[in-house]
């Protein structure tokens, strides 16, 4: 088991010193204190509870609450200096335990133990008032304060953690942007060079069939065509290394050209679609193309995308169906331009074999068209293969932002319309802090709704049943109640101790009890008035320090002299 750090030890020592000083102060002011129960035992319990509060704060609260319950068994006053210790450890319970259910069970258990102690000992009402108001306040309010402090601390710590993560993410985004730019450049080179090399390979394959060539020339052309195929393959592998693995695309067909969806490409350096088709015809590719509709003002990005679509479709047709006719159709409509490239079926087995391998060309086209806000469809058509695309004439920023990143970074939120992860986590922490703050404000109100009415009612009973000593002295036995009504309080005291109720009384009389002072937190003497019908038959004093073992009632009856004044304690 690891030793606690020095800072923790010093904090525990400082806390124990403060609580021990409060215990010593309470011991000094207590009436007839017991050194063992009121000083040494609390100091020993605090010496165990303070360091224990780091690992088991609930157990520490239970130990100190036991000291408070021990004060309920005292004969003078239930209040003791351990209420401060109970409040301090309850605050630590809220600050050190994140959950709320366990600590609440501990607090409820402590209150139940305090109430059970009052019930078993049959304590006076003042003790009940103390157990139902002071002890719950010392348990609940500091615990809520500790939870609030913990929530604020977590909010600050989570804020700094998010700031560090955002800083790291910025570096990752910048590095990814550099890699994406390099991949875009490589993809454009692949699209351009791959198409040109495919046309060269096709031209070389056509020259092999010329009857004017010697066997040596045909061998050289075959080697040239193979070298070109190897170059296209190496170029494809290089670009594949720079790109993330593509997601499975719907439709069929393969290609070598690589599009990019990570950002808008630059304008095409090769020229227009007409130039592209003219070069293909010059190399012997059987292309038939047509354009319909008035040519609108197209965005440079749309022109670039249309160029790449035709280029990729021609490349695939030349590689996989060389010598077969290719039909290109471009139709300009009111808001969109439709591009269609159809090639015939694959050649017969005795035709020239097309070198090259499949790549991510069509997948790259889908990414590029998605960035532009259009649609792309590929698949078999009649006896061949067709590539169709619909592109808008202009690109809007709103449409571009809606397009998801085709290669999302594993630590980047790909949904641009959703709330960022950092904002969500910060909002969660703030909501938790607000809940703690609301609980800290509502819980005392709820507790007050139960305790304040009971405390007010008890205080009203105690104050309205107080009979001042001067009026008690004016009461004369043998007089009727009607003559003494002006001297009597509004109500008798309803909670006399058991030994006062069971004390001997004159035969045939009914006794009532009154408090000798209005002090709510201190035990005062009780006055007993015994009535025979409506006539005062006897009056007695029950001293505040009386107990069932040594109770002695000072009784005044009609044929005895009046009780001397020093027998009646007057309490402020």
């Amino acid at each position: 088991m690891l030793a606690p750090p020095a800072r923790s030890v010093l904090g525990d020592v400082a806390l124990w010193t403060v609580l021990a000083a409060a215990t010593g102060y309470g011991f000094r002011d207590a009436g007839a204190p017991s050194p063992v129960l009121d000083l040494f035992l609390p100091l020993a319990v605090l010496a165990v509870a303070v360091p224990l509060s780091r690992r088991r704060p609930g157990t520490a609260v239970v130990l100190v609450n036991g000291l408070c319950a021990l004060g309920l068994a005292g004969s003078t006053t239930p209040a003791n200096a351990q209420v401060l210790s109970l409040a301090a450890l309850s605050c630590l319970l809220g600050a050190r335990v994140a959950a709320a259910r366990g600590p609440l069970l501990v607090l409820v258990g402590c209150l139940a133990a305090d109430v059970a102690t009052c019930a078993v000992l049959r304590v006076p009402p003042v003790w009940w008032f103390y157990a139902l108001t002071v002890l719950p306040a010392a348990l609940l309010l500091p615990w809520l304060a500790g939870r609030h402090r913990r929530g604020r601390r977590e909010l600050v710590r989570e804020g700094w953690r998010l700031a560090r993560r955002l800083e790291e993410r910025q570096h990752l985004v910048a590095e990814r942007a550099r890699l994406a730019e390099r991949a875009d450049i490589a993809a454009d080179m692949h699209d351009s060079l791959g198409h040109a090399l495919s046309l060269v390979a096709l031209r070389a394959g056509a020259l092999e069939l010329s009857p004017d060539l010697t066997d040596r020339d045909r061998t050289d052309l075959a080697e040239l065509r193979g070298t070109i195929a190897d170059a296209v393959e190496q170029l494809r592998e290089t670009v594949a290394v720079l790109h993330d693995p593509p997601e499975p695309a719907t439709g069929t067909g393969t290609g070598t050209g690589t599009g990019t969806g990570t950002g808008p490409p630059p304008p095409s350096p090769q020229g227009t679609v007409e130039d592209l088709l003219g070069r293909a015809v010059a190399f012997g590719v059987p292309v038939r193309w047509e354009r319909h509709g008035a040519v609108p003002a197209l965005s440079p990005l749309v022109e670039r995308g249309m160029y790449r679509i035709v280029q990729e479709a021609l490349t695939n047709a030349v590689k996989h169906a060389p010598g077969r006719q290719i039909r290109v159709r471009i139709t300009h409509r009111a808001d969109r331009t439709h591009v269609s490239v159809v090639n015939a079926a694959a050649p017969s087995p005795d035709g020239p074999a097309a070198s090259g391998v499949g790549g991510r060309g069509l997948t790259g086209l889908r990414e590029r068209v998605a960035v532009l806000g259009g649609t792309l469809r590929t698949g078999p058509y009649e006896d061949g293969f067709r590539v169709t695309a619909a592109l808008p004439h202009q690109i809007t920023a709103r449409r571009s932002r809606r397009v998801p990143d085709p290669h999302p970074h594993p630590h980047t939120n790909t949904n641009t319309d959703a709330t960022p992860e950092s904002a969500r986590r910060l909002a969660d922490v703030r909501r938790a802090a607000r809940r703690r703050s609301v609980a800290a404000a509502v819980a005392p109100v709820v507790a007050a709704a139960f305790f304040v009415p009971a405390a007010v009612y008890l205080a009203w009973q105690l104050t309205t049943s107080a009979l001042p000593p001067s009026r008690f002295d004016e009461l004369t036995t043998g007089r009727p109640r009607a003559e003494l009504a002006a001297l009597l309080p509004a109500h008798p005291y309803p909670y006399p101790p058991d030994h006062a109720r069971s004390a001997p009384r004159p035969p045939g009389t009914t006794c009532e009890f009154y408090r000798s002072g209005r002090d709510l937190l201190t035990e005062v003497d009780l006055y007993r008035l015994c009535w025979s019908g409506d006539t005062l038959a006897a009056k007695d004093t029950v001293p505040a320090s009386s107990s069932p073992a040594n109770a002695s009632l000072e009784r005044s009856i009609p044929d005895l002299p009046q009780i001397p004044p020093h027998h009646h304690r007057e309490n402020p």
Side-chain angles (χ1 to χ4, degrees), residues 469-520:
S470 58
R471 293 189 179 184
F472 178 76
D473 293 338
E474 295 180 18
L475 298 177
T476 304
T477 56
R479 298 176 62 186
R481 181 185 290 269
E483 296 180 1
L484 302 177
L487 301 176
L488 296 177
H491 306 280
Y493 179 54
Y495 308 111
D498 292 339
H499 66 275
R501 292 179 181 273
S502 60
R505 67 185 66 186
T509 61
T510 301
C511 297
E512 297 176 349
F513 296 86
Y514 298 90
R515 302 180 80 245
S516 61
R518 296 178 181 272
D519 193 344
L520 300 180

Side-chain angles (χ1 to χ4, degrees), residues 296-370:
L298 298 177
S299 168
L301 295 176
V302 175
E303 291 184 354
R304 174 72 170 178
M306 188 167 56
Y307 184 96
R308 288 301 187 194
I309 293 170
V310 176
Q311 184 185 57
E312 179 65 27
L314 289 178
T315 302
N316 286 342
V318 168
K319 295 171 67 102
H320 300 290
R324 295 296 176 171
Q325 187 180 29
I326 303 172
R327 301 191 304 272
V328 179
R329 182 187 180 93
I330 300 176
T331 304
H332 300 291
R333 295 183 179 175
D335 58 344
R336 286 183 173 260
T337 293
H338 294 262
V339 180
S340 174
V341 181
V342 181
N343 64 279
S348 59
D350 55 353
S355 61
V357 295
R360 44 169 279 122
L362 294 180
T363 301
L365 281 183
R366 288 189 182 87
E367 297 168 0
R368 186 185 299 274
V369 172

Side-chain angles (χ1 to χ4, degrees), residues 114-258:
D114 297 335
V115 173
T117 301
C118 294
V120 170
L121 298 179
R122 297 182 178 181
V123 297
V126 175
W127 271 248
W128 280 100
F129 177 80
Y130 174 81
L132 293 177
T133 57
V134 178
L135 292 182
L139 285 168
L140 181 62
L141 297 182
W143 176 71
L144 291 173
R147 280 183 60 82
H148 179 72
R149 181 174 179 272
R150 178 186 178 88
R152 296 286 300 179
R153 192 167 62 243
E154 288 181 352
L155 181 62
V156 173
R157 185 165 51 244
E158 185 67 16
W160 281 110
R161 184 183 299 113
L162 289 176
R164 287 193 297 269
R165 291 188 60 186
L166 288 175
E167 185 177 1
E168 294 174 357
R169 185 168 296 178
Q170 286 179 349
H171 291 297
L172 292 176
V173 169
E175 182 64 24
R176 181 169 176 263
R178 288 193 293 269
L179 294 176
E181 184 177 3
R182 293 170 57 188
D184 291 344
I185 297 173
D188 286 339
M189 292 178 60
H190 178 270
D191 290 344
S192 302
L193 295 179
H195 176 72
L197 292 176
S198 297
L199 294 179
V200 172
L202 177 63
R203 186 63 174 173
L207 290 176
E208 289 184 48
L209 302 179
S210 176
D212 299 333
L213 297 180
T214 63
D215 293 339
R216 177 63 181 273
D217 294 334
R218 290 189 178 89
T219 302
D220 293 340
L221 287 174
E223 291 178 358
L224 176 61
R225 187 161 52 84
T227 303
I228 294 174
D230 293 339
V232 173
E233 172 64 16
Q234 293 175 6
L235 185 61
R236 187 197 67 83
E237 292 178 353
T238 302
V239 175
V241 170
L242 295 177
H243 276 279
D244 296 331
E247 297 179 355
T250 59
T252 59
T254 57
T256 57
T258 304

